[in-house]
Amino acid sequence: MRHGRTLALAALAVVAASGRPAAAQTVETGEGVVTALPAGALNGVAVLDAQGGTLRAGPRLVEVAPDGTVTFPGADAVFDPQTTVDARAYSIDARGQTVAVGLGFSDVTADADRPPQTAAGFAVSTDGGRSYAYRPAPLDESRDSTVTVGVSTLRAYPATVFAFAAPLDLALTAGGDTLYAANEFAGLRRSVDGGATWSPVVTPPDSLFVLDPRERYDFAYTPDLRQPLGFVDGDRSQPFFPTASTNFVAYSVLVDEAGTVWAGMAGGLNRSVRLPGVDDLAWLRYVDVPVGSSVPSNLIYALEAQPRQGRDHVWAACWVPEGMGGEQEFGVAVWRGDDADGAPVFETVLLGVRVYDLAFDGLRAYAASDDGLYVSDDDGASWRVVRTFRAADGRPLPLDGPVTRAVATTPGTVWVGTPDGLLRSTDGALTWELFRADVAPTAEARAVEVYAYPNPYNPRSDGRLRVRLDLDAPSDITVRIFDVGMNRVRTLEAPGRPAGPNEVAWDGQSDGGLRVANGAYIYTVDAGGQTLSGRILVIQ
């Protein structure tokens, strides 16, 4: 199921220190009611997975049961003690009693625009999530110089680097006995022993639209295009690289109800074919060129099956690869089945929209995007977009913009992950509830007139820090943030605020638009003729 690609993923949590569920607390923020999720949660939600009535979210394998109970089942066993404590759930999939979680972490610096999505391994449960076993990342040994596909033995250049090899998507077969993982520059991999060992799955190179394991091939399998094969005359300033084949770089994977494997690569949408008497899969590749044209662009970022009577439909979120232009466009390709001649029938929807995730409730389709949540009530024929998420009383919820990153459905409910909290709707995306971390003040905060949360604050994972205060009468609010040397870092103006609870949000940046460094900061609040102050600890 869909992966998380932001720097921080959600820990959806209402759990007491003992691990037993604790009651959630609702808080009036002055802009709307928010349900508090205080137990180690983060606000940036970018991976969700639904299995029946159970919702799972990362990074700590939080489960929301059909009765609304929220737990951390087996969380302590998820992370390998040898990996960073910042490992996160990049992908989750569940079939029957098998639950698989792809783990990764981000190597970040204050200036990194796109940190590497670094592999950290897997957590696999075979008892419905009650306990988990850690499995290592599916990387190659440096001696792995060949790979076998049917009757062919191909040259292979091993993927040995953890960076850009996180398991971005996972797919289990119906019985949960085979696990596929899309690992970007580590390629598409398959495990038949619960993630203990992995083997490469070879899709057609960029030069082919069909891969038949009964045919002989001599191309090189090169999923990691960054690793040089050597250096010209030993000069390390002149590396030479393998011939690029973008269709080995894996972003998404799906096993549909018929057992067909769909692989979303940087070079197109790939569909498996089972041949009688042949163990290895044959593949068909669909791209945006006249021969086999089916998708609006070739980087298949997300895949999701829409349950239908008979054959499920397959939806693919298509992105334009970085640096590519021409005829390619963002959009969603929908496979509606094959025609009488066996040719695939594709439809394109949401052309021009960058879609991160997809989910379905019968003929209702949801698409998470930068623009908001797209909703179709008629199987993709027409769309409405939700950019302002409103509570049942009509007030807009206090979200930092319309961006949505993940979407999943449980019976009668749609869940949406945003960089600023988790949303839930039970009326077809008309009204919403917002869940956010650290909304409820601590005992210490309740004793003062102003407080900031979350504190400590991580701009990468927490989204916005909020300075909260109650006004006796309507007033302008000015928040100033200073470093420990009392140099002013940021000024936030909130004019015309009403009496009652109010919050002013800070994105962790200076007035000049630069992310602030780790350390202690002081904030002052001028409102209603008073000046109040407090401290913030920034840790990222």
Side-chain angles (χ1 to χ4, degrees):
M1 288 296 169
R2 190 59 234 145
H3 43 285
R5 297 301 305 273
T6 61
L7 300 182
L9 313 181
L12 173 62
V14 187
V15 179
S18 65
R20 291 188 294 271
Q25 180 177 352
T26 58
V27 175
E28 171 60 60
T29 68
E31 296 177 287
V33 175
V34 177
T35 300
L37 300 173
L42 304 177
N43 285 331
V45 183
V47 57
L48 296 170
D49 177 72
Q51 180 193 25
T54 300
L55 180 79
R56 291 183 173 91
R60 295 190 64 200
L61 275 193
V62 178
E63 293 186 4
V64 184
D67 64 0
T69 302
V70 186
T71 56
F72 283 148
D76 292 340
V78 172
F79 301 105
D80 175 22
Q82 301 303 315
T83 67
T84 172
V85 295
D86 291 329
R88 310 185 187 282
Y90 273 57
S91 47
I92 306 170
D93 196 23
R95 292 286 185 103
Q97 291 297 298
T98 303
V99 183
V101 182
L103 302 175
F105 59 91
S106 297
D107 290 339
V108 298
T109 66
D111 303 318
D113 292 326
R114 189 204 172 194
Q117 312 297 323
T118 303
F122 299 86
V124 179
S125 171
T126 57
D127 56 11
R130 290 186 293 275
S131 63
Y132 288 85
Y134 174 77
R135 304 300 188 199
L139 297 178
D140 298 317
E141 301 288 343
S142 58
R143 62 179 178 273
D144 295 332
S145 59
T146 62
V147 62
T148 300
V149 179
V151 298
S152 302
T153 299
L154 306 175
R155 290 169 294 148
Y157 298 99
T160 59
V161 179
F162 285 82
F164 293 109
L168 303 180
D169 204 7
L170 297 175
L172 286 157
T173 53
D177 53 349
T178 301
L179 175 62
Y180 290 87
N183 307 281
E184 198 168 7
F185 285 141
L188 182 65
R189 305 269 168 152
R190 175 176 55 210
S191 175
V192 295
D193 54 10
T197 60
W198 295 85
S199 58
V201 179
V202 180
T203 48
D206 291 355
S207 58
L208 298 175
F209 295 104
V210 177
L211 182 69
D212 185 339
R214 299 169 299 186
E215 299 292 329
R216 291 197 176 276
Y217 300 99
D218 63 358
F219 59 83
Y221 177 62
T222 55
D224 191 344
L225 308 182
R226 304 158 303 158
Q227 301 304 309
L229 303 185
F231 302 91
V232 177
D233 297 328
D235 183 354
R236 299 190 68 85
S237 66
Q238 299 185 60
F240 61 89
F241 293 85
T243 302
S245 191
T246 60
N247 203 50
F248 299 147
V249 180
Y251 286 89
S252 54
V253 62
L254 169 73
V255 179
D256 67 19
E257 93 293 348
T260 299
V261 183
W262 299 80
M265 316 298 275
L269 175 61
N270 297 260
R271 175 187 177 186
S272 73
V273 178
R274 288 282 182 187
L275 299 174
V278 179
D279 291 333
D280 289 328
L281 296 173
W283 291 93
L284 305 173
R285 182 168 71 104
Y286 307 122
V287 295
D288 74 322
V289 297
V291 179
S293 179
S294 303
V295 297
S297 55
N298 287 341
L299 193 157
I300 311 302
Y301 185 79
L303 289 165
E304 196 66 45
Q306 179 189 23
R308 300 296 296 270
Q309 286 189 343
R311 197 75 160 84
D312 289 355
H313 294 178
V314 174
W315 294 53
C318 306
W319 286 24
V320 179
E322 188 173 339
M324 297 293 293
E327 300 298 321
Q328 297 194 47
E329 295 186 71
F330 289 95
V332 175
V334 186
W335 176 76
R336 301 288 192 186
D338 296 337
D339 64 19
D341 297 323
V345 177
F346 282 94
E347 173 187 342
T348 298
V349 300
L350 294 177
L351 197 61
V353 179
R354 185 201 299 259
V355 171
Y356 292 90
D357 199 8
L358 296 151
F360 308 95
D361 181 6
L363 296 182
R364 181 174 289 143
Y366 300 98
S369 79
D370 289 330
D371 303 325
L373 180 71
Y374 283 84
V375 184
S376 174
D377 299 309
D378 52 14
D379 199 24
S382 61
W383 295 83
R384 56 187 168 96
V385 60
V386 182
R387 293 190 175 93
T388 301
F389 297 88
R390 297 185 181 275
D393 62 7
R395 286 187 298 172
L397 292 170
L399 284 168
D400 182 30
V403 175
T404 58
R405 286 287 184 263
V407 60
T409 58
T410 55
T413 303
V414 58
W415 304 81
V416 176
T418 82
D420 204 26
L422 179 71
L423 292 163
R424 177 174 69 185
S425 174
T426 57
D427 58 7
L430 298 177
T431 62
W432 300 86
E433 300 167 82
L434 175 61
F435 299 82
R436 182 179 285 146
D438 296 326
V439 174
T442 63
E444 179 181 355
R446 292 189 191 102
V448 300
E449 297 174 285
V450 62
Y451 65 90
Y453 73 90
N455 194 4
Y457 166 54
N458 184 340
R460 296 185 180 277
S461 61
D462 294 323
R464 302 274 175 154
L465 175 137
R466 288 172 168 80
V467 177
R468 179 183 170 88
L469 74 159
D470 289 339
L471 294 178
D472 294 331
S475 174
D476 297 339
I477 300 175
T478 300
V479 177
R480 296 180 177 88
I481 299 171
F482 302 86
D483 63 20
V484 290
M486 292 308 294
N487 300 300
R488 191 171 64 189
V489 173
R490 184 72 178 271
T491 300
L492 304 167
E493 301 284 354
R497 287 299 182 92
N502 281 271
E503 294 182 350
V504 180
W506 178 44
D507 60 4
Q509 295 183 6
S510 69
D511 282 327
L514 298 177
R515 186 180 297 116
V516 301
N518 289 346
Y521 293 82
I522 297 168
Y523 65 90
T524 64
V525 180
D526 293 319
Q530 287 186 304
T531 299
L532 306 169
S533 64
R535 295 175 66 86
I536 302 165
L537 180 61
V538 175
I539 300 176
Q540 56 190 322

